[in-house]
């Protein structure tokens, strides 16, 4: 297929010729935009070619991947398999987790487990299975570099030009033009101020590949320190303790102990699709109250089974007189000194101010993630996005950013909308529903059926 190339090395629209305008262009291809791609695929399958949505998705990774660094072999999902990519939107879809199990030959085996929560590695394989089925809509190794506005003959901003690296030649760039974009760029690791990642200082998102490298090198691990009090922190502590049977693993957190996640039926209603409507319409002070009341469903909390397992391990070691698992509670890391052969990690016990320095080979920051500001990627285009009194981006119920009057192009957000849509903004719970809502909004605005 021919490409139109400018003198600056920029390639115009590599799919469908130089004049293709995409109805929707997805930036990022994790579960959120994957769910949207499936919604588009199912929509198009029912229509003649001239009525189908022209969709494309750009992903900087060379293949589909979702939190690969935390795919611990025995870790389970914290969300029901029924909240997969499609079931909440379309229970009859053949992109469901159950259809995946049937194709893999494990449907009966899975049902015999009597569980709603699959292994994380299995759910990731489900995502990869679904992503492969819509692979014709995706350009991998296509890192988005910029988004620029395009004005029509009336002076309105009717399109957006998205520049990304050419997957065939990373030294060149490709420009895609779109009527709408769906931004699902995911979360970025959050680190304490001044932290620099290195061979000895990791974020937990790197855990699995870094552990594999360490084991392959044969380098002994005497002591590892894990900072954090959430699920990922507890999983990292447990995994390191099992992976390095001679090492001491120290968990450092400001709480007195791990807090159990509240997954009770009434609390879980905060993740219901109807809860998004309630949250969206609520005054700002009520929104904040809802987040505060239900923070224990998601933030800095741990599954009770894992809490009990870690406590049992620590107690067993105390009985045996060989304590490898240590919990430094009500404490914070105050300083990290990088040495030639390790780290000196200074930990303060907050009630007394007493400090101790731990000689360590490894420090893992299980300190969570944060949403990326859309201004970073949108650049100059971000000035057309309206903001509220708190300088947060204003977003409509259909997940479309509210923009200046002269902008007719659509910018949809999948994530980074907790201030407007509630706790599910960055979670899997309403992924299928959100994809359906964005799809319906696109169809209505484009006037297709």
């Amino acid at each position: 297929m021919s490409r139109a190339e400018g003198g600056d090395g920029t390639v115009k629209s590599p799919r469908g010729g130089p004049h293709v305008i995409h109805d929707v262009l997805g930036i990022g291809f994790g579960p959120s935009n994957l769910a949207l791609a499936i919604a588009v695929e199912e929509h198009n399958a029912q229509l003649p070619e001239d009525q189908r949505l022209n969709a494309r998705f750009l992903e900087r990774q060379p293949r589909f991947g979702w939190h690969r660094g935390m795919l611990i072999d025995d870790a389970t999902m914290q969300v029901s398999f029924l909240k997969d990519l499609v079931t909440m939107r379309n229970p009859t879809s053949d992109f469901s987790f159950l259809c995946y199990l049937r194709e893999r030959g494990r449907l009966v085996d899975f049902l015999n487990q009597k569980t709603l929560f699959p292994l994380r590695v299995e759910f990731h394989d489900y995502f990869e299975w679904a992503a492969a089925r819509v692979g014709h809509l995706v350009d991998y190794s296509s890192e988005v570099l910029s988004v620029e506005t395009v004005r029509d003959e009336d002076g309105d901003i009717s399109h957006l030009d998205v520049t990304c690296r050419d997957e065939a030649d990373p030294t060149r760039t490709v420009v895609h033009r779109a009527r709408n974009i769906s931004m699902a760029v995911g979360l970025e690791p959050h680190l304490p101020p001044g932290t620099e990642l290195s061979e000895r200082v990791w974020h937990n998102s790197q855990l699995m590949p870094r552990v594999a490298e360490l084991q392959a090198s044969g380098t002994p691990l005497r002591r590892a320190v894990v900072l954090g009090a959430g699920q990922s922190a507890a999983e990292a502590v447990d995994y390191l303790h099992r992976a390095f049977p001679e090492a001491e693993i120290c968990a450092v957190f400001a709480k007195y102990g791990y807090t159990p996640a509240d997954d009770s039926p009434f609390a879980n209603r905060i993740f219901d699709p109807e809860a998004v409507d309630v949250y969206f319409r609520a005054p700002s002070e009520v929104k904040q109250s809802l987040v505060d009341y239900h923070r224990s469903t998601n933030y800095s909390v741990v599954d009770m089974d894992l809490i009990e397992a870690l406590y049992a391990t620590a107690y067993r070691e105390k009985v045996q007189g060989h304590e490898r698992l240590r919990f430094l509670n009500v404490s914070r890391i105050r300083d990290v000194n990088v040495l030639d052969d390790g780290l000196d990690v200074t930990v303060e016990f907050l009630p007394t101010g007493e400090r101790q320095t731990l000689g360590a080979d490894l420090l893992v920051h299980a300190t969570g993630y944060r949403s990326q500001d859309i201004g970073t990627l949108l650049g100059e285009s971000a000035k057309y996005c309206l903001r509220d009194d708190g300088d947060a981006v204003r977003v409509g119920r259909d997940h479309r950013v509210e923009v200046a009057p002269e902008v007719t192009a659509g910018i949809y957000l999948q994530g980074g909308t907790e201030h407007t849509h509630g706790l599910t903004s960055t979670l899997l719970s309403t992924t299928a529903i959100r994809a359906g809502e964005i799809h319906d909004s696109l169809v209505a605005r484009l006037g297709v059926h």
Side-chain angles (χ1 to χ4, degrees):
M1 189 168 293
S2 63
R3 296 185 176 187
E5 183 175 342
D8 61 355
T10 296
V11 181
K12 299 291 185 182
S13 299
R15 296 291 187 272
H19 304 298
V20 167
I21 298 178
H22 302 290
D23 293 318
V24 59
L25 188 69
I27 300 177
F29 198 65
S32 293
N33 266 343
L34 170 55
L36 178 59
I38 294 170
V40 169
E41 182 78 353
E42 292 180 337
H43 169 97
N44 287 347
Q46 305 174 48
L47 296 171
E49 189 169 350
D50 61 348
Q51 296 180 30
R52 295 174 183 174
L53 290 172
N54 185 319
R56 197 87 209 149
F57 296 86
L58 307 174
E59 170 55 50
R60 66 180 177 180
Q61 296 184 99
R63 59 192 176 106
F64 183 89
W66 177 71
H67 295 305
R68 285 186 177 276
M70 286 297 293
L71 292 180
I72 298 171
D73 55 2
D74 61 349
T76 58
M77 296 293 294
Q78 294 176 281
V79 63
S80 166
F81 72 84
L82 292 172
K83 294 183 176 181
D84 57 19
L85 296 165
V86 293
T87 299
M88 297 287 285
R89 172 182 62 82
N90 175 17
T92 65
S93 172
D94 64 359
F95 281 88
S96 70
F97 180 71
L98 291 179
C99 287
Y100 153 82
L101 287 174
R102 180 185 61 191
E103 187 169 308
R104 289 287 196 258
R106 294 199 303 269
L107 179 56
V108 173
D109 294 331
F110 179 83
L111 294 176
N112 285 339
Q113 291 189 112
K114 300 181 180 180
T115 181
L116 292 172
F117 307 103
L119 290 169
R120 197 177 296 161
V121 292
E122 182 175 37
F123 218 64
H124 190 278
D125 188 59
Y126 157 64
F127 286 154
E128 290 184 297
W129 169 83
R133 293 181 62 189
V134 292
H136 55 286
L137 300 178
V138 189
D139 292 339
Y140 290 102
S141 300
S142 297
E143 180 185 5
V144 172
L145 303 174
S146 66
V147 179
E148 298 178 356
T149 57
V150 180
R151 292 186 182 271
D152 60 20
E153 57 187 16
D154 296 323
D156 292 332
I157 297 173
S158 56
H159 300 89
L160 297 166
D161 275 354
V162 178
T163 301
C164 65
R165 298 193 192 281
D166 186 354
E167 58 179 320
D169 182 358
T171 64
R172 301 196 303 172
T173 57
V174 177
V175 177
H176 296 267
R177 181 161 293 183
R179 296 180 179 88
N180 302 276
I181 61 174
S182 171
M183 298 181 63
V185 293
L187 304 171
E188 60 183 0
H190 175 65
L191 294 165
T195 300
E196 293 186 9
L197 300 179
S198 66
E199 292 299 313
R200 296 187 182 275
V201 180
W202 308 345
H203 185 268
N204 70 276
S205 59
Q206 307 168 301
L207 184 69
M208 297 299 287
R210 284 301 189 93
V211 165
E213 291 172 4
L214 195 59
Q215 291 175 327
S217 71
T219 303
L221 184 71
R222 297 162 298 173
R223 176 184 286 151
V225 179
V226 178
L227 174 65
Q231 181 73 21
S232 294
E235 288 180 358
V237 168
D238 179 62
Y239 181 71
L240 290 170
H241 185 267
R242 290 185 287 116
F244 298 97
E246 302 301 320
E248 178 182 285
I249 311 300
C250 300
V252 179
F253 44 80
K255 297 181 177 183
Y256 209 86
Y258 292 121
T259 301
D262 185 356
D263 62 352
S264 58
F266 286 110
N268 273 344
R269 294 183 70 178
I270 195 67
F271 303 122
D272 290 354
E274 292 79 7
V276 178
D277 291 321
V278 172
Y279 188 94
F280 185 82
R281 294 193 299 262
S284 58
E285 62 272 16
V286 175
K287 285 184 170 75
Q288 188 58 54
S289 294
L290 287 170
V291 171
D292 292 342
Y293 286 145
H294 296 286
R295 186 169 294 276
S296 60
T297 60
N298 183 56
Y299 294 107
S300 195
V301 290
V302 182
D303 285 344
M304 193 63 191
D305 289 348
L306 181 54
I307 293 175
E308 292 175 341
L310 287 171
Y311 191 90
T313 297
Y315 184 76
R316 182 173 64 252
E317 291 182 351
K318 182 173 288 189
V319 170
Q320 295 170 347
H322 181 56
E323 297 181 52
R324 289 198 304 115
L325 186 56
R326 296 176 57 194
F327 296 98
L328 307 182
N329 61 350
V330 204
S331 299
R332 292 192 185 278
I333 292 176
R334 292 304 188 192
D335 187 40
V336 179
N337 187 24
V338 180
L339 309 174
D340 292 338
D341 60 348
L343 306 167
D344 276 347
V345 181
T346 301
V347 179
E348 179 183 350
F349 184 58
L350 297 175
T352 64
E354 180 183 357
R355 296 190 177 194
Q356 62 173 312
T357 299
L358 302 173
D361 300 302
L362 176 64
L363 170 61
V364 179
H365 289 282
T367 44
Y369 299 82
R370 60 185 174 191
S371 298
Q372 301 182 47
D373 190 305
I374 65 170
T376 304
L377 187 59
L378 289 179
E380 284 295 306
S381 304
K383 67 184 180 183
Y384 298 102
C385 300
L386 304 182
R387 293 183 177 261
D388 61 22
D389 294 339
D391 199 38
V393 175
R394 286 164 52 180
V395 185
R397 179 61 186 85
D398 63 351
H399 311 279
R400 184 164 56 95
V401 175
E402 296 183 11
V403 291
E406 69 266 33
V407 181
T408 59
I411 301 172
Y412 291 86
L413 296 186
Q414 299 223 56
T417 57
E418 186 174 285
H419 62 294
T420 55
H421 289 69
L423 288 169
T424 58
S425 169
T426 58
L427 306 178
L428 292 175
S429 294
T430 58
T431 296
I433 296 290
R434 182 174 62 240
E437 290 170 343
I438 292 174
H439 166 263
D440 291 346
S441 177
L442 287 167
V443 168
R445 294 183 69 242
L446 291 167
V448 295
H449 300 287

